[in-house]
Amino acid sequence: MKRREFLSGVLGAATATLFARASVAGEAMPGMGNMGNMGGMAGMSGTSAEMPHAPAPLAAADALPAGAPLAALRTLANDSREAGVFRATLIAQPAPHALLPGVAPTTFWQYDGAQSSDHRGPVIGPLIDVREGDRVEIRFVNRLAQPSTIHWHGLPVPPDQDGNPSKPIEPGAEHTYRFTLPKGSAGTYWYHPHPHMLSAEQVFRGLAGPIVVRAADDPLAAWPERHLFVSDLKLAADGTIPANSMMDWMNGREGQFVLANGAREPHIEVVRDERWRVWNGCNARYLLLAFDDGRAFAQVGTDGGLLGAPREGVSSLLLAPGERAELIVRAGQGASAARLLAAQYDRRKMAMTHGSLPPTPMATLAQVKFAPQEASKALPAQLLPIERLVPSDVKKSVVFSEEMDMHAMHQPGASKRSMPQGMHFMINGESYDPARVTLTSRRNEVETWTIANQTDMDHPFHLHGTQFQVLARESGGQRIEETLLAWRDTVNVKPGESVHLATVQHEAGDRMFHCHILEHEDLGMMGTLRVI
């Protein structure tokens, strides 16, 4: 059943209208504060005594201060004195941050280094700054009350070191991840948890951090570099981070605050042309990057590293959840100012009646002042040669679909469950089962994958352990060949669209692939690829 029709025959028109109004407001109706409290739906025809307590109201949209200078990301210290070895400790633990006046500090879950106990810096996990060829050893200590893992998003690490949900690190336990970064892996990556059914919460409470892998022959190494790690925060007026509402689970969570390096609308001053690395570390928010005055920038890199040549004259660039980009931002010819935006993008979020919710409103990511002190310099005409993958005859098909079972969602006791009942996000007709192998591939064999989105909203596809190249997009019977040759590990797939890509896995073992709206991943839109 199409998800936009799932209320038909189940709820009356008045009830459906009530749901729709709550969803348009961006919050669940009273009694719907957590999908674990689905009994609020089951009890709608009863008395108010049957309804759970309403969630705390959200903090006002201007409750967080804005305009402070963009904070530098913390850097994870290398404890090794051996050349070519990066050895460090990451600790996942609760961390208090005073955000709102007059209320208790907000408790985030945060990655800290072994030497760091100061929580005054950005919530964002420390930057892991490494080089091609490095042997990496990171000891992970879990001080949360939940099992967790660390997934090295986009990096070509061995399957048993990739933080897959099959290898959880229990509360109080630790594990050392070990891998070597091969030549050609330079790029912009990130790390975040990947325990099944817990990933979304752990990320929206703060567990995520950036990775930069550098090459010895980087043609842009001399350019000043700026890092913008974008996340969002849903914050209650009492300073707590609320659990997911029903609409959060259905559409993916979007907080009312969009943050760059952990702060709202920070100030950036650009005095010379800069290389920007931008991460979309949000659970579900899409970032249509643009300046409000329409000024152009150049794109020089994607998820897996530099492009073959710069893309000049870019005025907007879409980053789906999990995607990254490298940009060249020019200081310009004279003093000026602009806002860096997450411009409005319609990903067709679900309404509780027919149709979709309005697009997420535009958000300001940063206030940028341009005060040039140097003449602009030319980019190299060529950046990094990219070898085009030549697929074999082996083809794989991945189909995104959704299903809502209102009968299951109304069952007694649904309010006591931690995950929503009857809400299924599927790949190839099935929700994720840890015991099931969805697809099988052969090591070193280049394959063509087709990712088909049979739902009514956008879904970003992510494949572990490798990068891929998009070949073409197909919609409404029309196929459009991809003109940008680039390395990616995440790609957006629009409703009714099929994306064709070429990919190859180089190590045997199990790899995950899934929608990178983390709520949908937790609800089953994930599969296992077995590489033999």
Side-chain angles (χ1 to χ4, degrees):
M1 178 166 56
K2 280 275 192 177
R3 65 173 190 156
R4 302 201 190 283
E5 301 169 356
F6 75 93
L7 283 179
S8 177
V10 182
L11 298 178
T15 302
T17 301
L18 181 60
F19 273 108
R21 288 175 181 168
S23 64
V24 168
E27 279 303 296
M29 55 179 287
M32 307 295 290
N34 187 321
M35 275 304 297
N37 294 331
M38 290 305 298
M41 292 180 66
M44 282 185 63
S45 60
T47 67
S48 60
E50 295 175 281
M51 302 287 285
H53 293 296
L58 293 185
D62 60 354
L64 293 184
L70 179 73
L73 295 172
R74 300 174 293 152
T75 300
L76 188 63
N78 184 3
D79 296 330
S80 171
R81 296 185 178 180
E82 301 175 59
V85 176
F86 185 92
R87 184 178 294 117
T89 296
L90 275 176
I91 302 170
Q93 59 191 347
H97 287 260
L99 298 183
L100 302 178
V103 301
T106 299
T107 299
F108 289 86
W109 297 349
Q110 179 173 305
Y111 288 119
D112 287 309
Q115 311 303 322
S116 174
S117 59
D118 185 354
H119 300 314
R120 290 177 296 179
V123 172
I124 306 305
L127 169 67
I128 299 175
D129 199 328
V130 287
R131 304 186 70 84
E132 289 180 346
D134 279 357
R135 188 170 81 248
V136 179
E137 298 179 6
I138 295 184
R139 172 175 164 258
F140 170 54
V141 181
N142 183 9
R143 293 183 182 166
L144 305 175
Q146 299 179 351
S148 192
T149 73
I150 300 182
H151 166 51
W152 313 101
H153 183 121
L155 285 177
V157 306
D160 62 353
Q161 301 299 310
D162 203 20
N164 289 336
S166 61
K167 297 182 179 296
I169 313 306
E170 297 299 327
E174 62 180 67
H175 173 76
T176 299
Y177 292 97
R178 295 181 172 89
F179 49 87
T180 299
L181 298 167
K183 185 173 177 56
S185 61
T188 304
Y189 306 93
W190 62 306
Y191 59 96
H192 60 80
H194 216 298
H196 184 42
M197 298 191 293
L198 299 173
S199 298
E201 180 182 18
Q202 292 187 10
V203 173
F204 77 61
R205 293 192 184 278
L207 290 175
I211 303 172
V212 172
V213 180
R214 303 188 185 277
D217 55 352
D218 183 351
L220 301 178
W223 288 65
E225 187 167 300
R226 192 179 296 275
H227 300 147
L228 281 81
F229 193 100
V230 181
S231 59
D232 58 0
L233 173 65
K234 187 175 185 180
L235 187 66
D238 62 3
T240 60
I241 299 175
N244 271 341
S245 70
M246 182 179 69
M247 299 308 295
D248 290 333
W249 281 114
M250 286 186 176
N251 290 314
R253 182 185 181 102
E254 293 182 354
Q256 78 267 41
F257 300 110
V258 186
L259 309 177
N261 294 2
R264 175 173 163 253
E265 297 185 22
H267 172 76
I268 296 173
E269 185 170 12
V270 178
V271 299
R272 59 184 60 85
D273 297 351
E274 296 181 347
R275 177 187 191 175
W276 288 16
R277 296 181 190 260
V278 185
W279 290 259
N280 184 347
C282 302
N283 276 39
R285 182 182 295 271
Y286 281 63
L287 303 177
L288 182 57
L289 300 176
F291 287 102
D292 68 340
D293 62 356
R295 73 180 62 208
F297 49 87
Q299 182 185 9
V300 294
T302 50
D303 299 337
L306 294 176
L307 299 174
R311 291 182 65 219
E312 297 276 11
V314 178
S315 59
S316 66
L317 181 66
L318 182 66
L319 293 185
E323 280 192 286
R324 293 86 63 206
E326 294 186 51
L327 315 175
I328 295 296
V329 176
R330 305 285 188 181
Q333 300 301 313
S336 61
R339 291 184 299 154
L340 177 66
L341 303 177
Q344 187 177 92
Y345 175 75
D346 187 2
R347 63 182 180 94
R348 293 183 56 80
K349 292 185 293 184
M350 179 181 181
M352 289 306 237
T353 56
H354 297 290
S356 302
L357 294 180
T360 302
M362 175 195 74
T364 299
L365 301 180
Q367 302 279 354
V368 187
K369 177 182 177 182
F370 297 89
Q373 298 177 4
E374 297 180 1
S376 184
K377 57 181 181 179
L379 279 168
Q382 301 298 318
L383 296 174
L384 182 72
I386 298 178
E387 183 178 351
R388 188 179 297 274
L389 293 176
V390 180
S392 65
D393 293 331
V394 178
K395 302 184 187 310
K396 295 283 190 296
S397 177
V398 173
V399 178
F400 287 149
S401 62
E402 301 164 341
E403 184 179 275
M404 302 296 164
D405 182 350
M406 291 300 291
H407 177 73
M409 293 165 71
H410 280 75
Q411 289 303 300
S415 63
K416 297 180 173 61
R417 299 180 182 271
S418 60
M419 298 291 285
Q421 300 301 294
M423 189 182 296
H424 303 288
F425 291 85
M426 298 172 289
I427 285 180
N428 293 354
E430 297 178 308
S431 291
Y432 174 68
D433 180 347
R436 180 191 306 119
V437 174
T438 312
L439 298 172
T440 301
S441 294
R442 292 189 177 277
R443 188 167 57 91
N444 297 325
E445 188 168 61
V446 181
E447 301 177 334
T448 299
W449 286 42
T450 298
I451 318 302
N453 183 356
Q454 295 183 357
T455 78
D456 296 319
M457 74 181 298
D458 289 30
H459 291 284
F461 170 80
H462 172 53
L463 175 61
H464 285 207
T466 191
Q467 298 285 311
F468 53 74
Q469 296 173 0
V470 174
L471 302 175
R473 296 176 182 269
E474 192 171 353
S475 183
Q478 181 180 9
R479 179 182 170 110
I480 300 176
E481 301 299 320
E482 177 69 21
T483 58
L484 181 63
L485 181 61
W487 292 114
R488 311 171 189 264
D489 53 60
T490 306
V491 64
N492 190 47
V493 190
K494 294 182 179 181
E497 183 180 49
S498 293
V499 174
H500 306 280
L501 54 89
T503 187
V504 58
Q505 296 280 355
H506 295 295
E507 297 199 47
D510 288 352
R511 299 290 193 183
M512 315 311 298
F513 58 94
H514 56 86
C515 171
H516 217 280
I517 293 175
L518 296 181
E519 282 73 22
H520 296 171
E521 171 198 315
D522 278 349
L523 288 173
M525 196 172 264
M526 181 163 65
T528 300
L529 170 69
R530 178 155 293 171
V531 182
I532 58 175

